[in-house]
Amino acid sequence: MGAAGSTHQPQSLLNEQEEEEQQQPQHLLPTTTKPPTKLSLLPLIFLIYFEVAGGPYGEEPAVAAAGPLLSLLGFLIFPFIWSIPEALITAELSTAFPGNGGFVIWAHKAFGPFCGSLLATWKLLTGIFNLASYPVLCVDYLQLVFPFFSSGVPRYLAILFSTLFLSFLNYTGLTIVGYTAVFLGLVSLSPFVALTLFSIPKIEPIRWVSLGEKEKDWALFFNTLFWNLNFWDSASTLAGEVENPQKTYPKALFSAGIFTCLAYLIPLMAATGAIPLDQEDWVNGYFADVGEMVAGKWLKYWIEIGAVLSVIGLFEAQLSSCAYQILGMADLAVLPRCFGVRSKWFNTPWVGILVPTLVALAVSYLGFEDIISSVNFLYSLGMLLEFASFLWLRKKMPEVKRPYKVPLPFFGLVIMCLVPSGFLVYIMAVASKAVCLVSALLTLVGIAWYFVMKFCKSKAWVEFSSGGEKDGDED
């Protein structure tokens, strides 16, 4: 009784605590600075929104490929086939294993360190190459207003400084990034509210049922849907930074899902119903022209400014996901411990921010259309492994506490995963030979990286976290 009520700890217990702290990774040690504020529900909703969508910008090619009716049906039905299963899996596994690294942890737990490392490689390459495209898109929109940035040194400098500035914003903390995403999301969507209101008097519902007058381009149509409605699992890498993730993640995913679908459907209905159809015009950026037709040049400029702000939000959300994935990989010993170092000022993973920034900068100056297509191929491979991890963890670890659990029996879960898996196989089947070759080479690099890291670990050449050893080195 006296020991239980005492306010003093035995000296031996204090010594044990000191030894435990010395054994922890440096980025996990307590700091003298004020602990960072955890990410709450609203900023998490908008970070997920920017991971997935960022607004209606980029959905125009669906109309060019298949006409208004199929485009509207696609953005209405495709979320049930693809987005909802991915979001449900993310909700269950993020609440069951709420650590930084997200899907890397899931594959590691399910199939061991090799599969965890391979999935990490596929997803990280996907994220970094997507990241590289956003400053380029931002400058492309700016050059419409400032032709000075169209080519040469000014363009390169604009890409360089925009990348560095946006990366520094990420360095200042996830909470700041989250509330910046809230602001950017609301402001970038505001011109589409105006577009919808000005379109209402001009809408002719008969235009919505048009199938278009040109031959269907199914590859473009499905790739556009896929590109605009994937990456629901990206925010899982932030789980360790979220306030009460077991309750916050399901709410955030559900809210972001509704918000994203409405943000795509309403402007598309307004635009396709208000103007006569000319499929050749429906290319990226055409919403700005529609704005000019229904309201005037002021709305065109407003939509173009909104596009720049949307790209900024996309960059911030993607960089956050990459940075905390790298942090999680360091915790799992997929990467050396130095990759998990946090900033003393902001407690952010500065190495995890720096590495994707530098790689993205290098790639952004190259012509990389085939590489971007290859990244879609790698993303598809990663999602197939992620679906398999989800099913295996449900079977292998039924005793793990799941604050949110997909309310289906195991057979129902298999069906839920098979439908989007069929679509992923289709995406890979229509890939070009060049895409398959580049994807194979990048996969081989990822496999080689795993064995190089394993060799370095065995020789103790580089310091690794002990986190990856908890589940046993199965390979």
Side-chain angles (χ1 to χ4, degrees), residues 7 12 35 51 60 66 138-140 159 184 199 211 324 365 367 382-383 432 436 440:
T7 58
S12 60
E51 291 282 5
E60 298 100 327
C138 189
V139 174
D140 284 344
I159 292 173
L184 292 172
S199 296
L211 292 172
Y324 284 93
Y365 293 108
M383 284 308 305
S432 66
C436 293

Side-chain angles (χ1 to χ4, degrees), residues 104 121 139 163 179 200 211 216 229 251 322 334 421 439 454:
V104 183
T121 300
V139 174
T163 302
Y179 281 103
I200 289 174
L211 292 172
K216 304 292 182 289
L229 289 165
K251 293 178 183 177
C322 289
V334 175
S421 295
S439 299
K454 188 174 182 179

Side-chain angles (χ1 to χ4, degrees), residues 86-116:
E86 189 181 9
L88 289 174
I89 290 170
T90 301
E92 176 170 322
L93 295 182
S94 293
T95 57
F97 306 100
N100 291 325
F103 38 73
V104 183
I105 299 174
W106 311 339
H108 183 95
K109 291 277 187 184
F111 302 118
F114 175 76
C115 287

Side-chain angles (χ1 to χ4, degrees), residues 66-90:
L69 178 62
L70 293 179
S71 298
L72 291 169
L73 289 175
F75 280 99
L76 180 64
I77 297 171
F78 193 74
F80 292 94
I81 298 173
W82 171 256
S83 302
I84 290 179
E86 189 181 9
L88 289 174
I89 290 170
T90 301

Side-chain angles (χ1 to χ4, degrees), residues 51 123-138 159 162-163 166-167 170 227 231 311-323 326 352-365 368 372 375:
E51 291 282 5
K123 294 282 190 161
L124 191 60
L125 286 170
T126 301
I128 290 177
F129 280 98
N130 279 335
L131 196 66
S133 68
Y134 297 140
V136 176
L137 287 173
C138 189
I159 292 173
S162 62
T163 302
L166 295 176
S167 299
N170 223 279
W227 181 259
F231 292 99
V311 169
I312 292 172
L314 290 165
F315 182 95
E316 295 299 338
Q318 186 68 73
L319 181 55
S320 295
S321 178
C322 289
I326 290 173
I353 293 171
L354 181 64
V355 171
T357 299
L358 293 178
V359 177
L361 264 177
V363 174
S364 65
Y365 293 108
F368 55 98
I372 290 294
V375 166

Side-chain angles (χ1 to χ4, degrees), residues 21-318:
E21 288 186 355
Q22 290 174 0
Q23 293 172 359
Q24 288 181 349
Q26 188 65 36
H27 66 274
L28 297 178
L29 289 176
T31 62
T32 55
T33 58
K34 184 180 178 180
T37 304
K38 291 284 189 177
L39 201 62
S40 59
L41 178 61
L42 183 63
L44 181 60
I45 289 172
F46 277 86
L47 280 174
I48 294 172
Y49 166 71
F50 274 113
E51 291 282 5
V52 176
Y57 310 98
E59 66 175 336
E60 298 100 327
V63 179
L69 178 62
L70 293 179
S71 298
L72 291 169
L73 289 175
F75 280 99
L76 180 64
I77 297 171
F78 193 74
F80 292 94
I81 298 173
W82 171 256
S83 302
I84 290 179
E86 189 181 9
L88 289 174
I89 290 170
T90 301
E92 176 170 322
L93 295 182
S94 293
T95 57
F97 306 100
N100 291 325
F103 38 73
V104 183
I105 299 174
W106 311 339
H108 183 95
K109 291 277 187 184
F111 302 118
F114 175 76
C115 287
S117 177
L118 188 59
L119 180 59
T121 300
W122 287 334
K123 294 282 190 161
L124 191 60
L125 286 170
T126 301
I128 290 177
F129 280 98
N130 279 335
L131 196 66
S133 68
Y134 297 140
V136 176
L137 287 173
C138 189
V139 174
D140 284 344
Y141 278 110
L142 284 176
Q143 76 182 30
L144 298 175
V145 182
F146 305 104
F148 181 71
F149 294 121
S150 61
S151 62
V153 174
R155 178 179 177 81
Y156 295 145
L157 290 177
I159 292 173
L160 172 64
F161 287 111
S162 62
T163 302
L164 294 178
F165 172 75
L166 295 176
S167 299
F168 178 76
L169 179 61
N170 223 279
Y171 174 69
T172 61
L174 196 55
T175 301
I176 293 175
V177 171
Y179 281 103
T180 300
V182 175
F183 169 78
L184 292 172
L186 295 176
V187 175
S188 64
L189 278 174
S190 60
F192 289 98
V193 176
L195 174 67
T196 301
L197 294 175
F198 277 93
S199 296
I200 289 174
K202 304 176 186 293
I203 287 177
E204 296 180 17
I206 191 66
R207 291 171 175 163
W208 291 333
V209 298
S210 171
L211 292 172
E213 65 278 355
K214 55 182 286 191
E215 186 178 350
K216 304 292 182 289
D217 186 343
W218 296 115
L220 175 61
F221 177 67
F222 285 114
N223 272 310
T224 301
L225 293 177
F226 184 63
W227 181 259
N228 282 282
L229 289 165
N230 61 7
F231 292 99
W232 289 95
D233 60 336
S234 293
S236 67
T237 62
L238 314 174
E241 312 300 311
V242 173
E243 181 181 289
N244 194 5
Q246 287 84 355
K247 292 184 178 179
T248 304
Y249 260 96
K251 293 178 183 177
L253 285 162
F254 178 75
S255 303
I258 295 175
F259 187 51
T260 298
C261 290
L262 292 177
Y264 277 130
L265 274 172
I266 294 175
L268 188 59
M269 289 182 71
T272 54
I275 61 172
L277 177 64
D278 187 346
Q279 284 181 269
E280 298 296 332
D281 292 336
W282 281 86
V283 296
N284 284 325
Y286 186 59
F287 271 122
D289 295 328
V290 175
E292 182 179 5
M293 284 185 270
V294 300
K297 281 190 176 293
W298 64 272
L299 185 52
K300 176 181 180 178
Y301 295 141
W302 191 5
I303 291 174
E304 288 173 348
I305 292 170
V308 173
L309 297 177
S310 175
V311 169
I312 292 172
L314 290 165
F315 182 95
E316 295 299 338
Q318 186 68 73

